[in-house]
Amino acid sequence: MDVGGNGGGIIVNNKQKVMLPSKSRGEFARNQRKDSEGFSEAPDLEFEYNDSDRWAAELSELYSYTEGPEFHLNRKCFEEDFQTHVCDKRWVELDATQHRAHAMRLLDGLDVTGRERRLKVARAILYMTQGTFGECTSEAEVQHWMRYNVFLLLEVGAFSALVELLNMEIDAACSSAVRKPAISLADSTDLRVLLNIMYLMVEMIQQEDLADPPDWRTARETFKTELGSPLYNSEPISVMLFGMVTKFCSGHAPHFPMKKVLLLLWKTILFTLGGFEQLQSLKVCKREELGLPRLPEDSIRVVRNMRAASPPASASDLIEQQQRRARREHKALIKQENLDAFNEKDPYKADESREDEEEGEDNDNSLETEPFPLERDEVVPPPIPHPPVTHPPSERVSFPKGLPWAPKVREKDIEHFLECSRSKFIGYTLGNDTDTVVGLPRPIHESIRTLKQHKYVSVAEVQIAKEEEYQKTPLSGGEEDVVMGATELLYQGILPSLPQYMIALLKILLAAAPTSKAKTDSINILADVLPEEMPTTVLQSMKLGVDVNRHKEIIVKAISAILLLLLKHFKLNHIYQFEYMAQHLVFANCIPLILKFFNQNIMSYITAKNSISVLDFPYCVLHELPELTAESLEAGDNNQFCWRNLFSCINLLRILNKLTKWKHSRTMMLVVFKSAPILKRALKVKQAMMQLYVLKLLKVQTKYLGRQWRKSNMKTMSAIYQKVRHRLNDDWAYGNDLDARPWDFQAEECSLRASIERFNNRRYDRNQSNPDFLPVDNCLQSVLGQRVELPEDFQMNYDLWLEREVFSKPICWEELLGGAG
């Protein structure tokens, strides 16, 4: 089995024993075990998918380990300023009025022109948002004072001042771009301090706490509204941060601390638009508004209740299984002279060897329901029932009954089924008619009734139908009532440059992926992690190596969360907003990029130990730092898996699902890029949610992979049947009528692109609207009653105009009266 990282693996089996490095050896022992049949099996991962990690983890990931000395520098800047104004008292001993006065004093210090003085004041404010940790003794105290200080700074208007300062730093950075051959931590000091403060404020305020006083709750809602609206710098904060990303990728600002920018962008989107729970609530409300039936189930709850399946056997496991099978058959031949002839005479006899063989086949596929009959490698006549195998009661209790998802049917599926039935039995077609069943056999009536019973109309289908009406009737359709929520404002803000934003995010994702090789022309994403002086000892090199790997993992986590949140919110707000973003991701090669990301030893990535817990904030400022050794760095933490890496993997799989769902041409891209073996390896991770999205991606391409693939992957097919939602008349497992849908990527994408452009032009591009379609006021009374603003020079020369145009011109009364008559 390959257990190595990117540099290649080793083969471990019963005959050959290869020594591993100490870290790999420990991970191998922890993460691999043998089941009763000898199959290598990963442990179940106790992972709960959520919007973000726990509080301390999200705070610690903001800082690189190379930033460690700056914690005490921030404290020193605060205490020097604090002692000059408040003598013989600590921050925690002051009352609210004194706290406010000092915060206002610090805020005034940000207006000074001197960079050094301004940076000291900014560091003092950063120390406040870090919870004035020098006066705290526990993480709970730090959290309490962080929350208090952040709401205090919000009350005195610190965030607006920080946004103005950040804009100034961005302009200054782009006008005098850093042209150094090597960029280090020192080049981004000012930006890092500002982004740290803003991130901590957004992160602390977005977390709801029942113990918050009413004025904090009001301030939180106000801040949320302001953050998502164009109040700061006439655009939402997210648009400004997207601009920083594109400037970084274009090379105009290579010293931007990109990890902090991406983390702040992620948290801002999460706060202003809402997380996965809010998305589910918004979806329910949206369906009610459109008069659609309620959702058949709560998808979040269904996924959380799922159990992981054992992964398909690896190559070495299959060899061992075949050897055991051969040994069993050999023993059976000794007992009986002709086992095959015996089975032909009595095929229903379930002898001991057959029972052992079936147990061996099914033992490595312990799904949460009873084994599906198609798991067998070959279809055999049903055996005579024999006494069931007894299991421990704890395993039986948690097995759910039936399938986890309610089946769904689209209107198109019903139409297609009826058309096929009519042409088969009667020989005529009726187009989009789904009600006329004259002349069809009774079983077809039953089928149609069942299909209609499970018909599901999505929000997207209603939005597409409405958009078609607007395009058909631009005059009588009326003006569309667009709700200016946070999602709509963000889309309008990023619409002009959305393609550049998507390309920039994918460029950074590519540079941070563990499978990417370092190239001279690739962007440098390590500007805010490399120290000024490179390490000189082995220990320092190991520490920096851990820091760099951790830095890349955090970037992948932030980008994957940003893309997923935007796709989900845009899809709910309007389907063509989602399609616009998704199409530009596809054009920027997002699909092969994600597949390249998963083309690695995914178990090694998920169980990576790229963290040094004693250096994480706030632990590192509350405790004495123990002496670091090479052994302690190799050991890493004791966690079963890395939360952020598993979170990133699930996000990327969900993005891939969203890009390919119901898109035949993109599904064929999965087939062309040979994604099936890559995705199948990801099933080794025993986490139900990750397995679900892998199985969804395998399901959509199963019919194109050929009969041999389906025959040799029956356990994967069984897992798809048990975990993925069923479309009642979808023959995903058989591959019929493949020639009916040729792969015409260009035509499909061009048609979609035309629909998107029509939507964007109609709703957002007022300059290109047809003047013939603009409303005209044809009421004489209202036209004459309008107040016309005359130009200033006309008013000054009004007497001359009267003389020239009125008094000096003769009036022919006969013609005038004759015309009137």
Side-chain angles (χ1 to χ4, degrees):
M1 182 175 180
D2 182 7
V3 295
N6 299 330
I10 63 171
I11 302 300
V12 177
N13 55 35
N14 294 334
K15 298 180 181 178
Q16 184 182 7
K17 186 175 181 181
V18 182
M19 290 302 293
L20 294 165
S22 57
K23 183 176 180 182
S24 300
R25 192 161 62 244
E27 287 186 18
F28 185 79
R30 278 193 299 272
N31 300 320
Q32 303 292 329
R33 68 170 185 261
K34 295 281 184 178
D35 63 11
S36 59
E37 286 290 320
F39 292 121
S40 58
E41 188 179 324
D44 288 349
L45 303 182
E46 298 297 327
F47 171 82
E48 186 173 340
Y49 185 76
N50 217 326
D51 292 315
S52 56
D53 204 349
R54 54 193 174 81
W55 169 78
E58 293 295 337
L59 289 190
S60 66
E61 289 179 357
L62 176 64
Y63 311 103
S64 327
Y65 294 143
T66 46
E67 288 182 86
E70 296 189 14
F71 289 124
H72 298 289
L73 181 58
N74 299 338
R75 178 180 178 181
K76 181 183 175 186
C77 291
F78 175 84
E79 289 179 347
E80 283 178 358
D81 182 78
F82 187 68
Q83 293 304 326
T84 57
H85 296 95
V86 182
C87 298
D88 303 327
K89 274 195 176 184
R90 300 187 306 155
W91 175 260
V92 296
E93 296 171 349
L94 301 181
D95 58 24
T97 307
Q98 292 170 309
H99 282 151
R100 181 182 169 84
H102 190 71
M104 293 285 286
R105 197 179 302 120
L106 285 175
L107 206 57
D108 291 339
L110 287 178
D111 291 335
V112 298
T113 54
R115 176 185 174 275
E116 292 296 326
R117 170 62 185 157
R118 193 169 65 240
L119 181 59
K120 282 188 175 181
V121 173
R123 285 194 180 280
I125 294 175
L126 176 55
Y127 177 70
M128 283 180 62
T129 57
Q130 288 171 341
T132 53
F133 53 79
E135 301 172 22
C136 301
T137 57
S138 66
E139 285 192 12
E141 276 189 67
V142 172
Q143 187 174 7
H144 166 76
W145 283 105
M146 280 183 75
R147 196 162 183 80
Y148 176 84
N149 293 343
V150 160
F151 275 101
L152 174 65
L153 289 168
L154 181 66
E155 183 188 349
V156 298
F159 199 84
S160 303
L162 291 167
V163 172
E164 291 178 15
L165 210 53
L166 183 61
N167 268 314
M168 189 178 74
E169 292 288 347
I170 293 169
D171 295 338
C174 294
S175 60
S176 58
V178 177
R179 300 298 178 194
K180 291 168 61 178
I183 298 172
S184 68
L185 203 65
D187 297 308
S188 59
T189 303
D190 296 32
L191 285 167
R192 281 189 295 107
V193 171
L194 294 175
L195 289 167
N196 282 343
I197 301 170
M198 294 172 73
Y199 175 88
L200 291 172
M201 290 186 72
V202 172
E203 173 65 9
M204 294 307 296
I205 294 171
Q206 71 142 338
Q207 294 175 3
E208 292 189 75
D209 192 339
L210 297 175
D212 286 346
D215 55 334
W216 282 13
R217 294 181 192 176
T218 307
R220 180 182 183 276
E221 292 304 316
T222 305
F223 181 60
K224 179 180 177 179
T225 305
E226 291 175 354
L227 210 58
S229 60
L231 288 182
Y232 300 111
N233 198 31
S234 70
E235 61 185 9
I237 296 295
S238 303
V239 179
M240 183 182 74
L241 296 172
F242 268 120
M244 290 184 74
V245 174
T246 51
K247 287 183 176 72
F248 171 80
C249 288
S250 63
H252 293 130
H255 63 293
F256 276 0
M258 203 33 55
K259 184 189 81 173
K260 296 182 190 295
V261 173
L262 292 168
L263 284 174
L264 178 57
L265 177 58
W266 169 36
K267 294 296 183 177
T268 304
I269 293 172
L270 180 62
F271 183 30
T272 54
L273 305 190
F276 302 125
E277 296 278 358
Q278 290 92 331
L279 269 163
Q280 188 72 9
S281 304
L282 285 170
K283 192 173 183 180
V284 170
C285 295
K286 193 91 171 178
R287 291 185 66 81
E288 285 181 2
E289 287 174 15
L290 298 174
L292 296 174
R294 297 189 64 176
L295 291 167
E297 70 276 303
D298 185 342
S299 56
I300 295 175
R301 191 174 299 171
V302 171
V303 173
R304 282 180 180 165
N305 289 335
M306 275 188 173
R307 286 180 54 195
S310 292
S314 63
S316 59
D317 296 335
L318 291 172
I319 292 170
E320 290 179 22
Q321 183 183 9
Q322 288 173 1
Q323 290 172 348
R324 282 195 306 276
R325 231 181 245 172
R327 286 195 295 269
R328 281 199 298 267
E329 288 174 2
H330 182 65
K331 289 178 182 177
L333 282 171
I334 293 173
K335 292 180 180 178
Q336 292 176 302
E337 291 184 357
N338 195 339
L339 181 62
D340 293 335
F342 178 80
N343 285 338
E344 281 180 13
K345 292 175 185 177
D346 191 4
Y348 298 102
K349 185 175 177 64
D351 62 343
E352 187 177 351
S353 62
R354 173 63 61 87
E355 186 175 335
D356 290 342
E357 183 178 340
E358 289 186 359
E359 283 181 10
E361 285 180 1
D362 292 333
N363 198 27
D364 68 321
N365 195 39
S366 52
L367 296 165
E368 67 264 31
T369 55
E370 291 300 319
F372 182 54
L374 284 180
E375 284 181 354
R376 309 292 191 268
D377 289 337
E378 55 199 33
V379 178
V380 296
I384 294 173
H386 47 271
V389 182
T390 57
H391 293 279
S394 59
E395 291 184 12
R396 272 291 174 203
V397 171
S398 59
F399 284 7
K401 300 284 186 183
L403 298 169
W405 304 99
K408 285 182 180 178
V409 181
R410 295 185 301 168
E411 184 75 19
K412 288 181 183 177
D413 300 330
I414 301 175
E415 290 174 7
H416 178 68
F417 176 76
L418 260 172
E419 287 298 282
C420 292
S421 301
R422 285 171 185 147
S423 60
K424 178 180 177 181
F425 291 103
I426 306 173
Y428 71 89
T429 58
L430 291 177
N432 297 333
D433 187 348
T434 58
D435 296 322
T436 305
V437 290
V438 176
L440 295 177
R442 184 159 298 279
I444 299 296
H445 295 199
E446 298 284 340
S447 301
I448 294 166
R449 194 177 304 120
T450 304
L451 289 174
K452 287 186 175 181
Q453 182 182 345
H454 294 95
K455 188 173 82 167
Y456 176 78
V457 180
S458 65
V459 172
E461 289 174 282
V462 177
Q463 290 170 341
I464 290 171
K466 282 188 175 182
E467 183 60 26
E468 287 174 354
E469 283 298 315
Y470 282 122
Q471 297 291 347
K472 286 179 184 175
T473 57
L475 294 175
S476 59
E479 192 72 20
E480 184 181 11
D481 185 19
V482 181
V483 180
M484 300 304 290
T487 308
E488 183 65 32
L489 290 169
L490 178 59
Y491 182 77
Q492 291 184 16
I494 67 174
L495 177 61
S497 304
L498 188 139
Q500 289 83 358
Y501 296 155
M502 296 304 107
I503 291 169
L505 287 176
L506 293 183
K507 270 187 179 179
I508 300 171
L509 182 62
L510 176 63
T515 51
S516 297
K517 301 291 185 290
K519 296 179 183 176
T520 53
D521 59 340
S522 62
I523 53 178
N524 176 21
I525 57 171
L526 304 177
D528 53 334
V529 69
L530 295 177
E532 286 186 88
E533 298 178 3
M534 295 307 287
T536 55
T537 66
V538 175
L539 187 64
Q540 289 175 345
S541 299
M542 290 180 69
K543 178 184 167 187
L544 182 60
V546 170
D547 206 3
V548 166
N549 290 336
R550 173 177 176 267
H551 183 81
K552 289 181 177 180
E553 290 172 1
I554 295 167
I555 286 176
V556 173
K557 171 187 174 183
I559 292 177
S560 65
I562 289 167
L563 292 176
L564 180 60
L565 280 172
L566 287 179
L567 285 171
K568 288 187 75 66
H569 278 285
F570 285 159
K571 187 172 184 180
L572 194 57
N573 196 52
H574 200 287
I575 184 62
Y576 283 131
Q577 295 176 350
F578 160 81
E579 295 290 6
Y580 186 54
M581 178 180 167
Q583 192 166 65
H584 280 290
L585 284 174
V586 173
F587 290 164
N589 286 331
C590 184
I591 292 175
L593 172 55
I594 294 177
L595 293 175
K596 181 179 180 181
F597 180 89
F598 279 96
N599 194 18
Q600 59 171 313
N601 189 333
I602 206 70
M603 276 305 298
S604 295
Y605 184 71
I606 282 172
T607 56
K609 306 294 180 185
N610 292 315
S611 60
I612 308 169
S613 55
V614 293
L615 297 180
D616 286 340
F617 181 86
Y619 184 92
C620 63
V621 296
L622 295 173
H623 303 86
E624 285 291 328
L625 181 63
E627 184 181 355
L628 291 175
T629 62
E631 289 74 19
S632 64
L633 289 181
E634 273 194 356
D637 54 30
N638 295 322
N639 292 333
Q640 187 188 18
F641 56 90
C642 177
W643 196 96
R644 64 172 165 266
N645 288 355
L646 189 46
F647 176 76
S648 302
C649 289
I650 293 174
N651 286 345
L652 291 172
L653 288 168
R654 296 184 75 183
I655 291 166
L656 201 53
N657 267 288
K658 291 207 165 294
L659 295 182
T660 55
K661 188 175 182 181
W662 303 122
K663 302 290 188 301
H664 175 62
S665 58
R666 298 177 193 174
T667 301
M668 292 306 297
M669 287 176 72
L670 293 177
V671 179
V672 169
F673 289 127
K674 295 181 171 57
S675 65
I678 297 171
L679 294 168
K680 193 181 168 189
R681 282 200 298 272
L683 287 174
K684 292 185 178 182
V685 181
K686 290 194 69 176
Q687 204 282 323
M689 191 169 189
M690 182 166 171
Q691 287 184 345
L692 171 67
Y693 289 107
V694 171
L695 293 171
K696 279 186 172 188
L697 289 166
L698 286 170
K699 178 186 175 183
V700 295
Q701 54 179 315
T702 296
K703 63 171 71 175
Y704 307 106
L705 296 177
R707 182 176 296 179
Q708 186 56 44
W709 187 91
R710 296 195 291 273
K711 184 179 177 183
S712 56
N713 290 275
M714 290 310 293
K715 287 176 180 172
T716 304
M717 302 281 285
S718 176
I720 292 172
Y721 177 84
Q722 288 176 311
K723 289 182 174 296
V724 181
R725 188 191 302 277
H726 286 262
R727 299 279 170 174
L728 290 185
N729 48 355
D730 181 13
D731 60 344
W732 62 272
Y734 304 103
N736 298 325
D737 300 329
L738 290 184
D739 295 332
R741 300 190 63 193
W743 180 28
D744 192 349
F745 176 86
Q746 197 170 7
E748 195 172 332
E749 293 295 339
C750 284
S751 173
L752 179 60
R753 189 171 189 173
S755 300
I756 295 166
E757 285 180 354
R758 285 195 296 268
F759 165 76
N760 283 335
N761 289 338
R762 181 189 66 79
R763 190 187 268 197
Y764 303 112
D765 197 350
R766 297 297 180 190
N767 296 328
Q768 291 190 6
S769 56
N770 192 328
D772 295 336
F773 290 161
L774 293 176
V776 177
D777 188 357
N778 52 12
C779 175
L780 181 65
Q781 186 175 1
S782 67
V783 170
L784 293 177
Q786 288 178 1
R787 184 177 180 82
V788 180
E789 292 292 334
L790 299 173
E792 189 175 344
D793 57 342
F794 178 82
Q795 294 181 30
M796 292 177 64
N797 299 305
Y798 180 60
D799 293 336
L800 292 174
W801 180 84
L802 277 176
E803 184 65 33
R804 186 177 68 245
E805 298 293 333
V806 180
F807 299 141
S808 63
K809 291 200 172 182
I811 301 174
C812 186
W813 294 103
E814 289 79 5
E815 288 185 13
L816 185 64
L817 292 171

